[in-house]
């Protein structure tokens, strides 16, 4: 281990300059946030990358700081170690979506920050992880973060904030081998933003999206294009059951007929049912007809329950039918990025 006595009586202060009058041998002025620089010094002081017997267990916040600053100051081995550690802890659990504590301090170095550190949101952590993985070309971490964000956004009610959306938009404009994956993620994030927007029903019974006042014209046009495509997609789906390869035996003819009938009934039922967005909507508010994935999921659950209760469709055919819905769902998710494209 390196000797840390040189730092024992030093205080590191964020920002400022050392004027002759303010010179003090025990104070070093930093160009970085003091707490972030502390973590880089911790890595330089403690890490022994040539000895695999040493086990380190820093927090995700310390690793983020080390990865960013070691890249900035060109400590490549330390950067590689930090990014690998980020991938390890993110792949072995629900991080970063389960963060509860944002502070970690196990360094013997004393630091004084001129400005108190703001508590970082999961949104900010995700942005940093994406940027670190992209800049360090760590394919596994980058694709893992995209997968986690897609799953959390679609199925766990995660809402990307402005900073994360901006990060994803910036990455989508970068030419890289990840372009297809980022394009899909941006489509998923935009989809969540769209279906969470308030809407009203026009005189012709069609839904009209109420855009936030601060949304620019270009994004409004992209969202309007996607809204129209998604609404038409659901209209087609509810009138045309997914194609299912039912058995050709005469015994299964009734399964096909019952499937078509159940599909139409379930689709109409979920469309007019009140939504479950609770405090975000008024009582009796219906689900957004552009929320195709939610409507598709509810249709599948309704059909599944009906089949279980009535046994109108045999087990083999019901399984084939439900699998066909899964295929449609995956196709929709993969195509979301293409829907938010507007050409004047």
């Amino acid at each position: 281990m390196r000797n840390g006595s040189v730092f024992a009586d030093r205080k590191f202060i964020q920002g400022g300059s050392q004027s002759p009058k303010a010179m003090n041998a025990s104070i070093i002025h930093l160009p970085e946030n003091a707490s972030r620089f502390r973590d880089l010094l911790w890595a330089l002081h403690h890490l022994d990358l040539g000895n695999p017997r040493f086990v380190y267990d820093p927090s995700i916040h310390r690793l983020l700081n080390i990865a960013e600053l070691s890249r900035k100051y060109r400590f490549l081995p330390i950067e590689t170690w930090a990014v690998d550690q980020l991938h390890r802890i993110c792949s072995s659990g629900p991080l970063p979506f389960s963060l509860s504590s944002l502070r970690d301090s196990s360094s013997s170095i004393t630091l004084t920050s001129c400005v108190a550190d703001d508590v970082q949101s999961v949104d900010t952590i995700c942005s940093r992880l994406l940027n670190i993985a992209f800049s360090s070309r760590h394919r596994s971490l980058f694709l893992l973060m995209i997968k986690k964000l897609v799953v959390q956004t679609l199925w766990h009610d995660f809402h990307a904030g402005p900073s994360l959306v901006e990060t994803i938009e910036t990455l989508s404009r970068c030419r890289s081998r990840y372009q297809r994956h980022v394009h899909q993620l941006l489509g998923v994030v935009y989809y969540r933003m769209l279906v969470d927007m308030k809407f009203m029903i026009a005189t012709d019974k069609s839904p009209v999206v109420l855009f936030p006042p601060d949304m620019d014209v270009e994004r409004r046009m992209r969202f309007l294009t996607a809204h129209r495509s998604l609404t038409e997609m659901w209209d087609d789906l509810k009138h045309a059951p997914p194609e299912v390869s039912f058995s050709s035996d005469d015994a299964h003819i009734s399964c096909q007929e019952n499937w078509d009938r159940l599909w139409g009934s379930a689709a109409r039922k979920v469309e007019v049912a009140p939504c479950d967005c609770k405090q975000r909507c008024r009582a009796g508010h219906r689900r957004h007809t552009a929320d195709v994935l939610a409507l598709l999921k509810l249709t599948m659950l309704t059909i599944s329950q009906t089949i279980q209760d009535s046994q109108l469709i045999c087990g083999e055919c019901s399984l084939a039918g439900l699998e066909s819905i899964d295929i449609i769902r995956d196709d929709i998710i993969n195509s979301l990025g293409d829907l938010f494209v507007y050409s004047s």
Side-chain angles (χ1 to χ4, degrees), residues 18-29:
Q18 288 195 20
S19 64
K21 293 183 179 180
M23 289 289 286
N24 187 319
S26 65
I27 296 178
I28 299 176
H29 290 261

Side-chain angles (χ1 to χ4, degrees), residues 7-26:
F7 298 116
D9 298 320
R10 297 292 186 268
K11 290 187 177 181
F12 294 83
I13 300 180
Q14 174 188 344
S17 60
Q18 288 195 20
S19 64
K21 293 183 179 180
M23 289 289 286
N24 187 319
S26 65

